[in-house]
Amino acid sequence: AQSVTQLGSHVSVSEGALVLLRCNYSSSVPPYLFWYVQYPNQGLQLLLKYTSAATLVKGINGFEAEFKKSETSFHLTKPSAHMSDAAEYFCAVSEGQGGKLIFGQGTELSVKP
Amino acid sequence: GAGVSQSPSNKVTEKGKDVELRCDPISGHTALYWYRQSLGQGLEFLIYFQGNSAPDKSGLPSDRFSAERTGGSVSTLTIQRTQQEDSAVYLCASSFAFTEAFFGQGTRLTVV
């Protein structure tokens, strides 16, 4: 069975600081991995995805994530946080690009001025 | 439409009543998913439709929950005899073949 663990339900950073949101996965088959962002009262928006091509994946809004098979991790980073990055972030795994997604519990990112 | 549309956006119902939640996927998308988002449980997979294949119902929490997809397009999630623990945001998503899923803004269900 597949699963996702996001370390830290809440992360707070200062504006301009590095953002690091952690995600570890468990999968019996090569995984497809995703990061989604959810702004208040909105649906989920895809930030980036890993589909077995390059291990460093670049997404929208300056975010990127690195797939590390040896660590079963897919951490999300952004070099410099912006106030508009404040939202909830979800890591997800699926057995295929179009298969059902198994989500982590989410990490709420706060950005302090 | 341009995106996944869900209706109603908010629904308040009395315990024991039945409710129907509607999802209009992006035109041409072959796959449709329902998820439930609640404070204690995070984002839970409910059901997945892919083309003409039998739906994956493995996430439905009880037999009070059912969903159908008519004509390969619009989907309705039905909850019978609602309970307070059914209160949550119900999210629908669609995708084309095996590409990434696009989500609607959800229906917030409150059972009183």
Side-chain angles (χ1 to χ4, degrees), chain A residues 62-78:
Chain A
F63 284 94
E64 62 182 38
E66 186 172 8
F67 172 70
K68 292 187 177 181
K69 184 178 179 180
S70 61
E71 299 177 8
T72 60
S73 69
F74 190 57
H75 301 329
L76 182 71
T77 60
K78 181 174 180 177

Side-chain angles (χ1 to χ4, degrees), chain B residues 13-20 62-66 77-84 86 90 109 111:
Chain B
T13 190
E14 292 181 351
K15 178 181 172 181
K17 295 286 179 72
D18 297 352
V19 294
E20 288 187 349
S62 76
D63 58 8
R64 295 187 296 105
F65 287 73
S66 63
L77 177 69
T78 301
I79 309 173
Q80 295 179 310
R81 304 181 302 281
T82 51
Q83 303 295 313
Q84 287 188 329
D86 300 334
Y90 290 82
L109 175 66
V111 181

Side-chain angles (χ1 to χ4, degrees), chain B residues 38-103:
Chain B
S38 54
L39 281 176
Q41 301 297 323
L43 273 159
E44 300 172 89
F45 164 78
L46 296 177
I47 188 169
Y48 162 48
F49 298 88
Q50 174 63 274
N52 295 321
S53 302
D56 177 350
K57 304 180 181 181
S58 61
L60 294 178
S62 76
D63 58 8
R64 295 187 296 105
F65 287 73
S66 63
E68 63 176 19
R69 188 179 185 192
T70 54
S73 181
V74 172
S75 178
T76 302
L77 177 69
T78 301
I79 309 173
Q80 295 179 310
R81 304 181 302 281
T82 51
Q83 303 295 313
Q84 287 188 329
E85 60 262 29
D86 300 334
S87 296
V89 176
Y90 290 82
L91 291 167
C92 176
S94 70
S95 68
F96 175 70
F98 296 101
T99 60
E100 66 267 22
F102 293 83
F103 283 78

Side-chain angles (χ1 to χ4, degrees), chain A residues 19-58:
Chain A
V19 175
L20 171 60
L21 304 183
R22 300 178 187 274
C23 172
N24 288 88
Y25 70 91
S26 172
S27 178
S28 58
V29 298
Y32 289 81
L33 294 159
F34 306 81
W35 276 99
Y36 281 85
V37 61
Q38 187 178 34
Y39 299 101
N41 300 313
Q42 300 280 324
L44 277 72
Q45 179 183 7
L46 181 68
L47 273 179
L48 49 79
K49 62 180 179 180
Y50 167 75
T51 58
S52 76
T55 57
L56 182 62
V57 181
K58 294 188 183 298

Side-chain angles (χ1 to χ4, degrees), chain A residues 1-4 25-29 93-95 100 102:
Chain A
Q2 296 178 307
S3 66
V4 174
Y25 70 91
S26 172
S27 178
S28 58
V29 298
V93 64
S94 77
E95 293 182 355
K100 68 185 183 188
I102 305 301

